[in-house]
Amino acid sequence: MALLPSWAWVLAGCLSAAAGASDLSGLYPPLWEESPGQFSDYRVENGKYIIDPWIFTERMGAYRILLNQTAPYFEKYAPENEQNILWGLPLQHGWQYSSGRLVDPTGRTDCGYESRDHLCISVDSWWADINYFLSMLPFLAAVDSGIMGISSEQITLLPPPKDQTKFCYDVAGCWSTFPDIMEKWTAFFQYMQSPSSDFDGLLNHLWVAHTSSLKYPVTIFEDRYAYYVNPEADFEKNWAVAVNYLAAAQLPTTLTRSHSLQKGLASRMLLSTDKAPFIADFTPLQNSVLVALSSLGDTDRLTGSLSLAAWKISMKTEAARKFFLQLLENYVALST
Ligand SMILES: *[C@@H]1O[C@H](CO)[C@@H](O)[C@H](O)[C@H]1NC(C)=O
């Protein structure tokens, strides 16, 4: 008799493990399967693959290829590429898309709007501009690192309809305009390929590259804030601050974790009347994340980033980072 329940447990365990495994694709970002999965899915001109990063599926396709090509380096941590820490980037971009943050904030064009030009990514979107430096630059650095199976000359990106000089379009161009960003991403991909790489080291390199990608666009696209109502513009500014704190904590942006943490992010663009924690159509978690981001942003500005310096010191040990992650996950679990 006593055997029966334990067998039931084993069976239930197997079933949920099997379900868990096949469920992973449910965590993929929107339109993942519809996006290019290999270079030959893109157009070819004069022997070069042409990617238009101002079309959602084309930008997402670059992530899809990147995730596919880096999968072997994360196999030793878990099956199905679940522990690939690059997942954070396409998931973040998927959230930008589904929450309406890639649309033309000026409303002058149809770009990005549902039932109109919904796959269009607007160059006037603050989120889209920042993401360019977190998608195309790592992608080109990966190509240049030799892990993508094509050579550096074989890829060209199409320019947006305006502000062309604020972006770069191929490996050589990105190296000459943004050497620091390219160098940090290349360091990540080189470290990833070294036989002695470990998970903590990967996270460290990833976050160094991530923060270096933000420095330039966060200052150069400040004019975009004017296109948004105050709560959304404040959210953008606070988000740009918060990323530095998450970077210091070396948040492990694996598939499951990124997906679960993203539940805390505002599910639509903020309106002028939105006042967290009282936004009725947001979850308690989404409301409290907005409040937390706003006080973090205020603290950072008031202390002239001294709070960040202090935070970086306190996050120096792996034990402290683990503790913070535990707190963060408990907080997410309790508020959902
Ligand atoms: C990578 O892409 C190839 C070809 O499309 C596919 O067979 C393979 O399963 C993919 N690998 C992963 C980890 O998704």
Side-chain angles (χ1 to χ4, degrees), residues 28 37-38 64 67-69 71-72 75 80-81:
Y28 294 167
Q38 47 203 357
R64 197 173 167 205
L67 266 292
N68 182 288
Q69 299 291 314
E75 251 171 8
E80 288 192 275
N81 209 16

Side-chain angles (χ1 to χ4, degrees), residues 21-41:
S22 56
D23 270 344
L24 279 186
S25 67
L27 310 182
Y28 294 167
L31 301 180
W32 185 254
E33 308 290 347
E34 289 79 3
S35 302
Q38 47 203 357
F39 284 104
S40 56
D41 292 336

Side-chain angles (χ1 to χ4, degrees), residues 259-292:
H259 184 267
S260 118
L261 293 175
Q262 279 207 161
K263 287 185 205 148
L265 297 182
S267 49
R268 56 160 175 77
M269 289 248 274
L270 299 178
L271 308 170
S272 57
T273 48
D274 282 336
K275 204 158 166 39
F278 308 111
I279 306 176
D281 60 334
F282 280 11
T283 63
L285 178 65
Q286 289 167 343
N287 268 299
S288 67
V289 164
L290 283 177
V291 173

Side-chain angles (χ1 to χ4, degrees), residues 63-271:
Y63 277 138
R64 197 173 167 205
I65 296 172
L66 181 65
L67 266 292
N68 182 288
Q69 299 291 314
T70 52
Y73 305 99
F74 293 89
E75 251 171 8
K76 61 180 172 199
Y77 303 112
E80 288 192 275
N81 209 16
E82 195 281 320
Q83 287 284 300
N84 193 329
I85 53 177
L86 289 165
W87 274 118
L89 298 171
L91 260 67
Q92 178 74 14
H93 189 47
W95 163 76
Q96 292 167 346
Y97 171 78
S98 52
S99 65
R101 287 185 163 81
L102 301 176
V103 308
D104 178 357
T106 71
R108 282 194 290 255
T109 68
D110 278 350
C111 185
Y113 289 93
E114 221 176 313
S115 77
R116 288 185 270 169
D117 197 359
H118 79 284
L119 290 181
C120 176
I121 295 180
S122 171
V123 68
D124 283 318
S125 156
W126 179 86
W127 297 97
D129 293 333
I130 303 283
N131 177 264
Y132 192 91
F133 293 83
L134 288 170
S135 57
M136 293 304 121
L137 276 78
F139 177 75
L140 291 176
V143 169
D144 200 36
S145 309
I147 56 166
M148 303 286 268
I150 64 164
S151 77
S152 300
E153 297 76 41
Q154 276 179 287
I155 197 103
T156 305
L157 311 177
L158 294 183
K162 60 175 255 206
D163 287 337
Q164 286 96 349
T165 57
K166 294 183 172 166
F167 303 91
C168 61
Y169 305 100
D170 55 24
V171 171
C174 289
W175 267 109
S176 73
T177 323
F178 306 110
D180 190 52
I181 305 178
M182 290 297 279
E183 198 184 292
K184 297 296 194 304
W185 281 108
T186 303
F188 168 76
F189 291 117
Q190 275 168 356
Y191 179 79
M192 185 185 75
Q193 292 175 82
S194 93
S196 60
S197 71
D198 60 40
F199 198 72
D200 220 43
L202 282 164
L203 276 176
N204 183 37
H205 281 82
L206 178 82
W207 281 108
V208 166
H210 192 122
T211 44
S212 88
S213 281
L214 293 176
K215 265 183 226 142
Y216 165 84
V218 160
T219 47
I220 216 74
F221 297 109
E222 273 179 338
D223 59 333
R224 301 325 196 225
Y225 294 138
Y227 300 143
Y228 298 90
V229 296
N230 285 338
E232 179 70 16
D234 290 343
F235 176 50
E236 292 165 357
K237 291 172 199 167
N238 293 332
W239 182 247
V241 168
V243 170
N244 295 310
Y245 289 78
L246 295 178
Q250 296 186 17
L251 198 70
T253 44
T254 58
L255 178 58
T256 326
R257 259 203 182 105
S258 303
H259 184 267
S260 118
L261 293 175
Q262 279 207 161
K263 287 185 205 148
L265 297 182
S267 49
R268 56 160 175 77
M269 289 248 274
L270 299 178
L271 308 170

